[in-house]
Amino acid sequence: MTRKIAPYPGAAGGWDALASSFRHVREQGIVGRGARTLLRANQPDGFDCPGCAWPDRNPQSSFEFCENGVKAVAAEATRRRATREFFAAHTVSELSRWDDYSLEAEGRLVEPLAYDPADDKYHPIRWDEAFSRIAVALKTLGHPDQALFYTSGRTSNEAAFLYQLFVREFGTNNLPDCSNLCHEASGLAMTEQIGVGKGTVTLADFEKADAIFVFGQNPGTNHPRMLGELRSAARRGCRIVVFNPLRERGLERFADPKHPLELAGGSTPIASHYYPLRIGGDLAAVKGLLKRLLQRDAIDHDFVARHTQGFEALRADLLAEDWAVIEAESGLSRAQLEEAADVYAGAGATIVCWAMGITQHRHAVATIQMLVNLLLAGGNVGKPGAGACPVRGHSNVQGDRTMGIDEKPSPEFLDRLGAAFGFEPPRRPGHDVVGAIGAMARGECRVLFAMGGNFAAATPDTAFTARALRQCEMTVHVSTKLNRSHLVHGRQALILPCLGRTELDAQAAGPQAVTVEDSMSMVHLSRGTNPPASEHLLSEPAIVARLAEATLPASRTPWRWLVEDYDRIRDRIAGVVDGFEDFNARVRVPAGFRLPNAAARCQWNVPGGRARFVVHPVPRTAAPEAGLMTLMTIRSHDQYNTTVYGLDDRYRGVSGERRVCFISAGDLARLGLAAGQWVDIVSVWHDGEREATRFLLVEHDIPPGNLAAYYPETNGLVPLDHHAERARTPASKSIPVRLRPTRDLGAALAP
């Protein structure tokens, strides 16, 4: 593929999005099937898109997918297959030298595989033998806590519930999951303040908001269907205020492919105000907004008096805060912050959205609590058109946590689970992702079972994580396609291929549907219809049930019976998980049902019975060493999490290349570098340096001293102990680095 760097002149969406969608469907060899499949995406009788967790606007519409949803569906529905002949032809050592895009491009896995160290290859294995090997590895551990059970956010509610039940019957709470990598800070921060760790808004609120504030989020790539909501809001006069270090095209202007006039060349401006703050400057910026609101006396005093506690302490802290510190740490001027605060003060109802650009910082919890302070000060929780909107990534990451995928479960949940299934669940807290990596490295955990995901690529400190994984006795991955984690394995390794979201799931009682929970707590059915990629695939619930039967022969849980009809699993969920009463009946209503959210009703389940204002100081940035800069990891437009669909990043003007580093023109001049030059990125930490080699410098509109590059290529630069305080999400959006010219220019220039 030809490498090309050139500014992109168009709006997000439009004809280019349609052309890209068609190209990806064509490349996967599914033009006819792809069209039929996409018409069932996000439909009441169809499947939930395996991409993002943005809610469905209109369950009766025939066009409820976006460009990146098309890529996800096409990648899953592909005609390409990674067969036994492929694995016979390639050793793991050879495949380890392939890039992530090439690995997944081989297509769907079609049968269980086991690693043989004698020839360094994966070979087919029967399902019964695979489960027997895993059961032996688990049962011969010295203690259940020596096993780890990871979960990806694509796992359905039914699979997640059975999975956590099996893990707890086995005897551990070691349930690290992708929430530990992304939105853990949101749940922790919000629960402490308003008693709910989830967003308080619905799509209906986006129709009523007077202002929408967006922090640390790029919906044009990561949640494209959100652009439809922002477009509608902007066209009716809603102010959209963006705080983001990068100028992202989807937040500047959008051409909706469903609207003929915009396909003909028009577009809708999205952001009414765009503030390119410095990386990590969000907490300071929000304190500046609050300080201005105090000075204007633009506080909802009635709401504060009736519903909150701790305002006077926050007021005193804000009045004492120095504007010079706020300006220096945010990278914005006082005038800019006062302008944004005046928009907030003039709005009758405001939504605040945020994503991983907020959660993956050392001060993530404090920043989110300052955002909630902003909402509470304006009375913008618990009324139409207002509230908190943490935008999750994977399509059921929020639902997995609701189902009990949590290394620190509440005693109440464990009590109900144990009573329903007749056992005593373990009470010891388990490992989160950062803790799991450390435990493997120390030899304390010897088996890793991963329900989906790409653990080796998604986690921080890649080289350290790889060494930790290779110390395991066994690693097992439930997957649809080949990925990096299958090549970074323990002494024994298994790959268990599962059904995809788009595929027919036939069990003893007939075709089955699973359920998922979106970012706004709507629970709905997902029913695949495509023929499975192979007759040897099992559903995730079936994999869990058969593993449980092999590992826990004395279990009183009727595992196989539950999987015969997923309604039976849902009946068990209804008896354990709050908000799922009469689950089977309620989820069969078109669009499903919304889980209760006490904070959205101004009911505060926190000590004192009122929402809490929380005081946090502005983090002071130490004077940087000469040449030291701050790097944030980002996605390209041709990827979702660690899944790479292509080598383009259209809106940022990059084609045919992923190893790029975005840098400002001023920093290029200051450092004596040039756009188009190849550099190595070196992270600087207390325990030494980490290096990512051969990145092409691309001039971009980004604040001075700041850089951006794609993950997973740069995850190795994130030290394991560089994470959010208390929440422990990797601080991947604020890595201290320096640049140095690449020494091996020949390798760098190779196509």
Short mmCIF file of all heavy atoms in Angstrom, two decimals, residues 547-593:
data_model
loop_
_atom_site.label_atom_id
_atom_site.label_comp_id
_atom_site.label_asym_id
_atom_site.label_seq_id
_atom_site.Cartn_x
_atom_site.Cartn_y
_atom_site.Cartn_z
N LEU A 547 -16.58 -25.82 29.83
CA LEU A 547 -15.41 -25.67 30.68
C LEU A 547 -15.77 -25.91 32.15
O LEU A 547 -15.04 -26.58 32.89
CB LEU A 547 -14.80 -24.28 30.51
CG LEU A 547 -13.63 -23.93 31.43
CD1 LEU A 547 -12.47 -24.89 31.22
CD2 LEU A 547 -13.18 -22.49 31.20
N ALA A 548 -16.92 -25.36 32.57
CA ALA A 548 -17.35 -25.55 33.95
C ALA A 548 -17.62 -27.01 34.25
O ALA A 548 -17.24 -27.52 35.32
CB ALA A 548 -18.60 -24.72 34.20
N GLU A 549 -18.26 -27.72 33.34
CA GLU A 549 -18.53 -29.15 33.56
C GLU A 549 -17.24 -29.95 33.68
O GLU A 549 -17.15 -30.87 34.51
CB GLU A 549 -19.38 -29.70 32.42
CG GLU A 549 -20.83 -29.25 32.45
CD GLU A 549 -21.66 -29.88 31.37
OE1 GLU A 549 -21.10 -30.31 30.35
OE2 GLU A 549 -22.89 -29.95 31.54
N ALA A 550 -16.24 -29.59 32.87
CA ALA A 550 -14.98 -30.32 32.92
C ALA A 550 -14.19 -30.01 34.19
O ALA A 550 -13.49 -30.88 34.73
CB ALA A 550 -14.14 -29.98 31.69
N THR A 551 -14.30 -28.77 34.67
CA THR A 551 -13.49 -28.33 35.80
C THR A 551 -14.16 -28.57 37.15
O THR A 551 -13.49 -28.85 38.15
CB THR A 551 -13.17 -26.82 35.65
OG1 THR A 551 -12.63 -26.58 34.35
CG2 THR A 551 -12.18 -26.36 36.70
N LEU A 552 -15.49 -28.47 37.18
CA LEU A 552 -16.24 -28.54 38.44
C LEU A 552 -17.27 -29.68 38.38
O LEU A 552 -18.48 -29.43 38.32
CB LEU A 552 -16.95 -27.21 38.70
CG LEU A 552 -16.08 -25.94 38.70
CD1 LEU A 552 -16.96 -24.70 38.75
CD2 LEU A 552 -15.09 -25.96 39.86
N PRO A 553 -16.82 -30.91 38.38
CA PRO A 553 -17.79 -32.02 38.23
C PRO A 553 -18.80 -32.10 39.37
O PRO A 553 -19.88 -32.67 39.18
CB PRO A 553 -16.88 -33.26 38.20
CG PRO A 553 -15.60 -32.82 38.85
CD PRO A 553 -15.44 -31.39 38.49
N ALA A 554 -18.49 -31.54 40.53
CA ALA A 554 -19.42 -31.59 41.66
C ALA A 554 -20.33 -30.37 41.74
O ALA A 554 -21.13 -30.25 42.68
CB ALA A 554 -18.63 -31.73 42.97
N SER A 555 -20.25 -29.46 40.76
CA SER A 555 -21.07 -28.25 40.79
C SER A 555 -22.56 -28.59 40.75
O SER A 555 -22.99 -29.50 40.04
CB SER A 555 -20.73 -27.36 39.58
OG SER A 555 -21.63 -26.28 39.47
N ARG A 556 -23.33 -27.84 41.51
CA ARG A 556 -24.78 -28.02 41.52
C ARG A 556 -25.46 -27.23 40.41
O ARG A 556 -26.67 -27.33 40.21
CB ARG A 556 -25.34 -27.60 42.89
CG ARG A 556 -24.81 -28.45 44.04
CD ARG A 556 -25.07 -27.82 45.39
NE ARG A 556 -26.50 -27.58 45.63
CZ ARG A 556 -26.97 -26.98 46.72
NH1 ARG A 556 -26.12 -26.55 47.65
NH2 ARG A 556 -28.26 -26.80 46.88
N THR A 557 -24.71 -26.43 39.70
CA THR A 557 -25.28 -25.62 38.61
C THR A 557 -25.50 -26.48 37.37
O THR A 557 -24.58 -27.18 36.93
CB THR A 557 -24.33 -24.45 38.27
OG1 THR A 557 -24.16 -23.63 39.42
CG2 THR A 557 -24.89 -23.62 37.13
N PRO A 558 -26.69 -26.46 36.78
CA PRO A 558 -26.96 -27.27 35.58
C PRO A 558 -26.44 -26.58 34.32
O PRO A 558 -27.21 -26.07 33.51
CB PRO A 558 -28.48 -27.38 35.59
CG PRO A 558 -28.94 -26.10 36.21
CD PRO A 558 -27.90 -25.76 37.26
N TRP A 559 -25.16 -26.59 34.12
CA TRP A 559 -24.52 -25.79 33.10
C TRP A 559 -25.08 -26.06 31.71
O TRP A 559 -25.49 -25.16 30.99
CB TRP A 559 -23.00 -26.03 33.10
CG TRP A 559 -22.34 -25.64 34.38
CD1 TRP A 559 -21.98 -26.48 35.41
CD2 TRP A 559 -22.00 -24.32 34.80
NE1 TRP A 559 -21.41 -25.74 36.43
CE2 TRP A 559 -21.41 -24.42 36.10
CE3 TRP A 559 -22.12 -23.05 34.23
CZ2 TRP A 559 -20.95 -23.33 36.80
CZ3 TRP A 559 -21.66 -21.95 34.93
CH2 TRP A 559 -21.08 -22.09 36.20
N ARG A 560 -25.06 -27.33 31.32
CA ARG A 560 -25.49 -27.65 29.96
C ARG A 560 -26.98 -27.35 29.76
O ARG A 560 -27.40 -26.88 28.71
CB ARG A 560 -25.21 -29.13 29.67
CG ARG A 560 -25.28 -29.53 28.20
CD ARG A 560 -24.03 -29.10 27.44
NE ARG A 560 -22.83 -29.72 27.93
CZ ARG A 560 -22.18 -30.71 27.31
NH1 ARG A 560 -22.65 -31.21 26.18
NH2 ARG A 560 -21.06 -31.18 27.79
N TRP A 561 -27.78 -27.57 30.78
CA TRP A 561 -29.22 -27.28 30.71
C TRP A 561 -29.47 -25.80 30.52
O TRP A 561 -30.32 -25.39 29.73
CB TRP A 561 -29.90 -27.79 31.98
CG TRP A 561 -31.37 -27.54 32.04
CD1 TRP A 561 -32.36 -28.29 31.47
CD2 TRP A 561 -32.03 -26.47 32.72
NE1 TRP A 561 -33.60 -27.75 31.75
CE2 TRP A 561 -33.42 -26.63 32.52
CE3 TRP A 561 -31.58 -25.38 33.49
CZ2 TRP A 561 -34.36 -25.74 33.05
CZ3 TRP A 561 -32.51 -24.51 34.00
CH2 TRP A 561 -33.88 -24.69 33.78
N LEU A 562 -28.71 -24.96 31.21
CA LEU A 562 -28.86 -23.51 31.07
C LEU A 562 -28.58 -23.06 29.64
O LEU A 562 -29.27 -22.19 29.09
CB LEU A 562 -27.93 -22.78 32.04
CG LEU A 562 -28.30 -22.82 33.52
CD1 LEU A 562 -27.17 -22.26 34.37
CD2 LEU A 562 -29.59 -22.05 33.78
N VAL A 563 -27.59 -23.67 29.01
CA VAL A 563 -27.18 -23.24 27.67
C VAL A 563 -28.12 -23.76 26.59
O VAL A 563 -28.15 -23.23 25.48
CB VAL A 563 -25.71 -23.65 27.41
CG1 VAL A 563 -25.30 -23.40 25.97
CG2 VAL A 563 -24.78 -22.90 28.35
N GLU A 564 -28.92 -24.75 26.91
CA GLU A 564 -29.87 -25.24 25.91
C GLU A 564 -30.86 -24.16 25.49
O GLU A 564 -31.36 -24.16 24.37
CB GLU A 564 -30.64 -26.44 26.47
CG GLU A 564 -29.80 -27.71 26.58
CD GLU A 564 -30.58 -28.85 27.20
OE1 GLU A 564 -31.74 -28.61 27.63
OE2 GLU A 564 -30.04 -29.97 27.28
N ASP A 565 -31.16 -23.23 26.40
CA ASP A 565 -32.13 -22.17 26.13
C ASP A 565 -31.70 -20.95 26.94
O ASP A 565 -31.75 -20.97 28.17
CB ASP A 565 -33.53 -22.62 26.55
CG ASP A 565 -34.61 -21.61 26.18
OD1 ASP A 565 -34.27 -20.43 25.95
OD2 ASP A 565 -35.79 -22.00 26.14
N TYR A 566 -31.26 -19.89 26.26
CA TYR A 566 -30.71 -18.73 26.97
C TYR A 566 -31.74 -18.03 27.84
O TYR A 566 -31.38 -17.24 28.73
CB TYR A 566 -30.07 -17.76 25.99
CG TYR A 566 -28.85 -18.28 25.26
CD1 TYR A 566 -28.25 -17.54 24.26
CD2 TYR A 566 -28.29 -19.52 25.57
CE1 TYR A 566 -27.12 -17.99 23.58
CE2 TYR A 566 -27.18 -20.00 24.90
CZ TYR A 566 -26.60 -19.23 23.90
OH TYR A 566 -25.49 -19.69 23.24
N ASP A 567 -33.03 -18.27 27.60
CA ASP A 567 -34.05 -17.74 28.52
C ASP A 567 -33.80 -18.23 29.93
O ASP A 567 -34.08 -17.53 30.91
CB ASP A 567 -35.45 -18.17 28.08
CG ASP A 567 -36.01 -17.29 26.96
OD1 ASP A 567 -35.32 -16.34 26.54
OD2 ASP A 567 -37.14 -17.56 26.52
N ARG A 568 -33.28 -19.44 30.06
CA ARG A 568 -33.00 -20.00 31.39
C ARG A 568 -31.88 -19.21 32.08
O ARG A 568 -31.94 -18.99 33.29
CB ARG A 568 -32.61 -21.47 31.26
CG ARG A 568 -33.73 -22.35 30.70
CD ARG A 568 -33.21 -23.72 30.31
NE ARG A 568 -34.28 -24.55 29.76
CZ ARG A 568 -34.09 -25.73 29.18
NH1 ARG A 568 -32.84 -26.22 29.07
NH2 ARG A 568 -35.11 -26.43 28.72
N ILE A 569 -30.89 -18.82 31.30
CA ILE A 569 -29.82 -17.99 31.89
C ILE A 569 -30.40 -16.66 32.33
O ILE A 569 -30.10 -16.15 33.42
CB ILE A 569 -28.69 -17.77 30.87
CG1 ILE A 569 -28.16 -19.09 30.32
CG2 ILE A 569 -27.56 -16.96 31.51
CD1 ILE A 569 -27.15 -18.93 29.19
N ARG A 570 -31.25 -16.06 31.48
CA ARG A 570 -31.82 -14.76 31.82
C ARG A 570 -32.71 -14.85 33.06
O ARG A 570 -32.77 -13.91 33.87
CB ARG A 570 -32.58 -14.20 30.62
CG ARG A 570 -31.64 -13.69 29.52
CD ARG A 570 -32.39 -12.99 28.40
NE ARG A 570 -32.98 -13.92 27.46
CZ ARG A 570 -32.37 -14.40 26.38
NH1 ARG A 570 -31.12 -14.04 26.13
NH2 ARG A 570 -32.99 -15.22 25.56
N ASP A 571 -33.41 -15.97 33.24
CA ASP A 571 -34.20 -16.13 34.46
C ASP A 571 -33.29 -16.13 35.69
O ASP A 571 -33.65 -15.57 36.73
CB ASP A 571 -35.00 -17.44 34.41
CG ASP A 571 -36.22 -17.35 33.51
OD1 ASP A 571 -36.68 -16.22 33.25
OD2 ASP A 571 -36.72 -18.41 33.07
N ARG A 572 -32.12 -16.75 35.57
CA ARG A 572 -31.18 -16.76 36.69
C ARG A 572 -30.60 -15.36 36.93
O ARG A 572 -30.39 -14.95 38.07
CB ARG A 572 -30.05 -17.76 36.43
CG ARG A 572 -30.53 -19.22 36.34
CD ARG A 572 -31.22 -19.68 37.62
NE ARG A 572 -31.59 -21.08 37.57
CZ ARG A 572 -30.88 -22.08 38.11
NH1 ARG A 572 -29.74 -21.81 38.71
NH2 ARG A 572 -31.30 -23.31 38.03
N ILE A 573 -30.33 -14.64 35.85
CA ILE A 573 -29.85 -13.26 36.00
C ILE A 573 -30.89 -12.43 36.74
O ILE A 573 -30.56 -11.64 37.64
CB ILE A 573 -29.54 -12.65 34.62
CG1 ILE A 573 -28.34 -13.35 33.97
CG2 ILE A 573 -29.29 -11.15 34.73
CD1 ILE A 573 -28.09 -12.95 32.53
N ALA A 574 -32.16 -12.60 36.38
CA ALA A 574 -33.24 -11.83 37.00
C ALA A 574 -33.29 -12.05 38.50
O ALA A 574 -33.70 -11.14 39.25
CB ALA A 574 -34.58 -12.21 36.36
N GLY A 575 -32.87 -13.22 38.96
CA GLY A 575 -32.90 -13.50 40.39
C GLY A 575 -31.69 -13.01 41.15
O GLY A 575 -31.68 -13.09 42.38
N VAL A 576 -30.68 -12.51 40.43
CA VAL A 576 -29.44 -12.12 41.09
C VAL A 576 -29.10 -10.64 40.90
O VAL A 576 -28.66 -9.96 41.83
CB VAL A 576 -28.26 -12.99 40.58
CG1 VAL A 576 -26.93 -12.48 41.14
CG2 VAL A 576 -28.48 -14.45 40.94
N VAL A 577 -29.32 -10.11 39.70
CA VAL A 577 -28.82 -8.77 39.35
C VAL A 577 -29.95 -7.75 39.45
O VAL A 577 -31.02 -7.93 38.85
CB VAL A 577 -28.23 -8.77 37.93
CG1 VAL A 577 -27.63 -7.39 37.62
CG2 VAL A 577 -27.16 -9.85 37.79
N ASP A 578 -29.73 -6.68 40.19
CA ASP A 578 -30.73 -5.63 40.34
C ASP A 578 -31.12 -5.04 38.99
O ASP A 578 -30.27 -4.83 38.11
CB ASP A 578 -30.17 -4.50 41.21
CG ASP A 578 -30.08 -4.89 42.67
OD1 ASP A 578 -30.80 -5.82 43.08
OD2 ASP A 578 -29.29 -4.26 43.41
N GLY A 579 -32.41 -4.79 38.83
CA GLY A 579 -32.91 -4.13 37.63
C GLY A 579 -33.32 -5.07 36.52
O GLY A 579 -33.82 -4.62 35.49
N PHE A 580 -33.13 -6.39 36.71
CA PHE A 580 -33.44 -7.35 35.65
C PHE A 580 -34.67 -8.20 35.96
O PHE A 580 -34.84 -9.28 35.40
CB PHE A 580 -32.23 -8.25 35.39
CG PHE A 580 -31.14 -7.56 34.63
CD1 PHE A 580 -30.21 -6.76 35.29
CD2 PHE A 580 -31.05 -7.67 33.26
CE1 PHE A 580 -29.21 -6.10 34.60
CE2 PHE A 580 -30.04 -7.01 32.55
CZ PHE A 580 -29.12 -6.23 33.22
N GLU A 581 -35.53 -7.70 36.84
CA GLU A 581 -36.75 -8.41 37.14
C GLU A 581 -37.58 -8.60 35.86
O GLU A 581 -37.67 -7.71 35.03
CB GLU A 581 -37.57 -7.64 38.18
CG GLU A 581 -36.86 -7.44 39.52
CD GLU A 581 -35.81 -6.34 39.52
OE1 GLU A 581 -35.77 -5.56 38.53
OE2 GLU A 581 -35.01 -6.26 40.47
N ASP A 582 -38.18 -9.78 35.72
CA ASP A 582 -38.99 -10.11 34.53
C ASP A 582 -38.18 -9.87 33.25
O ASP A 582 -38.69 -9.34 32.26
CB ASP A 582 -40.28 -9.28 34.53
CG ASP A 582 -41.38 -9.90 33.69
OD1 ASP A 582 -41.26 -11.09 33.36
OD2 ASP A 582 -42.33 -9.19 33.35
N PHE A 583 -36.93 -10.29 33.27
CA PHE A 583 -35.96 -10.01 32.22
C PHE A 583 -36.48 -10.47 30.85
O PHE A 583 -36.50 -9.70 29.88
CB PHE A 583 -34.65 -10.71 32.58
CG PHE A 583 -33.46 -10.37 31.73
CD1 PHE A 583 -33.52 -9.47 30.67
CD2 PHE A 583 -32.23 -10.96 32.00
CE1 PHE A 583 -32.40 -9.16 29.91
CE2 PHE A 583 -31.10 -10.67 31.25
CZ PHE A 583 -31.19 -9.78 30.20
N ASN A 584 -36.90 -11.70 30.75
CA ASN A 584 -37.26 -12.25 29.44
C ASN A 584 -38.42 -11.52 28.77
O ASN A 584 -38.43 -11.33 27.55
CB ASN A 584 -37.58 -13.75 29.57
CG ASN A 584 -36.33 -14.60 29.51
OD1 ASN A 584 -35.53 -14.49 28.59
ND2 ASN A 584 -36.13 -15.43 30.52
N ALA A 585 -39.39 -11.10 29.55
CA ALA A 585 -40.52 -10.38 28.96
C ALA A 585 -40.13 -8.97 28.57
O ALA A 585 -40.46 -8.49 27.47
CB ALA A 585 -41.69 -10.36 29.95
N ARG A 586 -39.40 -8.28 29.43
CA ARG A 586 -39.08 -6.88 29.18
C ARG A 586 -38.10 -6.70 28.03
O ARG A 586 -38.18 -5.72 27.28
CB ARG A 586 -38.51 -6.24 30.45
CG ARG A 586 -39.54 -6.14 31.58
CD ARG A 586 -38.87 -5.87 32.91
NE ARG A 586 -38.21 -4.59 32.94
CZ ARG A 586 -37.15 -4.31 33.72
NH1 ARG A 586 -36.63 -5.25 34.49
NH2 ARG A 586 -36.62 -3.11 33.70
N VAL A 587 -37.19 -7.65 27.85
CA VAL A 587 -36.20 -7.47 26.80
C VAL A 587 -36.78 -7.77 25.42
O VAL A 587 -36.19 -7.41 24.39
CB VAL A 587 -34.96 -8.36 27.07
CG1 VAL A 587 -35.19 -9.81 26.63
CG2 VAL A 587 -33.71 -7.78 26.41
N ARG A 588 -37.95 -8.39 25.37
CA ARG A 588 -38.57 -8.69 24.07
C ARG A 588 -39.41 -7.53 23.55
O ARG A 588 -39.94 -7.61 22.44
CB ARG A 588 -39.39 -9.97 24.18
CG ARG A 588 -38.51 -11.22 24.15
CD ARG A 588 -39.30 -12.51 24.31
NE ARG A 588 -38.51 -13.67 23.92
CZ ARG A 588 -37.61 -14.28 24.69
NH1 ARG A 588 -37.41 -13.82 25.93
NH2 ARG A 588 -36.93 -15.31 24.25
N VAL A 589 -39.53 -6.47 24.30
CA VAL A 589 -40.16 -5.25 23.79
C VAL A 589 -39.18 -4.59 22.82
O VAL A 589 -37.98 -4.55 23.10
CB VAL A 589 -40.49 -4.29 24.95
CG1 VAL A 589 -41.02 -2.96 24.43
CG2 VAL A 589 -41.48 -4.94 25.91
N PRO A 590 -39.62 -4.11 21.65
CA PRO A 590 -38.69 -3.45 20.73
C PRO A 590 -37.85 -2.38 21.43
O PRO A 590 -38.38 -1.57 22.20
CB PRO A 590 -39.62 -2.83 19.67
CG PRO A 590 -40.80 -3.75 19.66
CD PRO A 590 -40.99 -4.17 21.10
N ALA A 591 -36.56 -2.41 21.21
CA ALA A 591 -35.58 -1.52 21.83
C ALA A 591 -35.25 -1.90 23.26
O ALA A 591 -34.37 -1.30 23.87
CB ALA A 591 -36.01 -0.05 21.78
N GLY A 592 -35.93 -2.93 23.83
CA GLY A 592 -35.57 -3.40 25.16
C GLY A 592 -36.02 -2.48 26.28
O GLY A 592 -37.05 -1.82 26.20
N PHE A 593 -35.23 -2.42 27.34
CA PHE A 593 -35.61 -1.62 28.51
C PHE A 593 -34.37 -0.95 29.09
O PHE A 593 -33.24 -1.37 28.85
CB PHE A 593 -36.29 -2.50 29.57
CG PHE A 593 -35.39 -3.57 30.16
CD1 PHE A 593 -34.68 -3.35 31.33
CD2 PHE A 593 -35.27 -4.82 29.54
CE1 PHE A 593 -33.86 -4.34 31.87
CE2 PHE A 593 -34.47 -5.82 30.07
CZ PHE A 593 -33.75 -5.58 31.24
#
